[in-house]
Amino acid sequence: MTESSPADPQPTEPTGWLSLPDVAERLEVTISKVHQMIRDRELLAVRRDGTRVVPAELVANRTARKHLPGILTLLHDAGYDDEAALRWLYLPDDTLPGTPAAALGDDRAREVKRRAQATGF
């Protein structure tokens, strides 16, 4: 990846974070299942202040966002680690508008998936 210049848009921060126990409660699963979902790239978790957390908007009601696992797999296959995938998901994009993470919650999710697929080429 290249370094950003001052003109490059900077990623925004997620509106909130959920601890892994909070994710388990929201999804009504065990904490072991949450760890498995992270390993299987069904959820994205990063470390903040020494604790693994998940962006709150990636957990919709009692499920992860529908297209998130596929997008995470595509980004990982393109060489993105979890922090880089988080930056990609929260990079402002005027053509969506908003960020790819925000677009996962509506009818633009397939376009986000297409763009994630293009990162590998």
Side-chain angles (χ1 to χ4, degrees), residues 34-101:
V34 172
H35 286 281
Q36 183 65 44
M37 292 173 76
I38 293 166
R39 280 192 300 276
D40 291 344
R41 290 189 189 86
E42 295 174 27
L43 281 176
L44 175 67
V46 294
R47 288 206 180 273
R48 294 293 183 263
D49 299 323
T51 305
R52 290 178 83 188
V53 291
V54 173
E57 55 268 279
L58 298 183
V59 181
N61 302 320
R62 294 193 168 114
T63 63
R65 292 286 181 195
K66 180 179 178 181
H67 295 278
L68 183 62
I71 290 168
L72 293 176
T73 297
L74 289 167
L75 292 174
H76 180 264
D77 289 351
Y80 285 65
D81 63 13
D82 291 342
E83 285 289 341
L86 180 75
R87 283 190 301 276
W88 187 88
L89 284 166
Y90 287 91
L91 193 64
D93 187 332
D94 293 336
T95 63
L96 285 174
T99 64

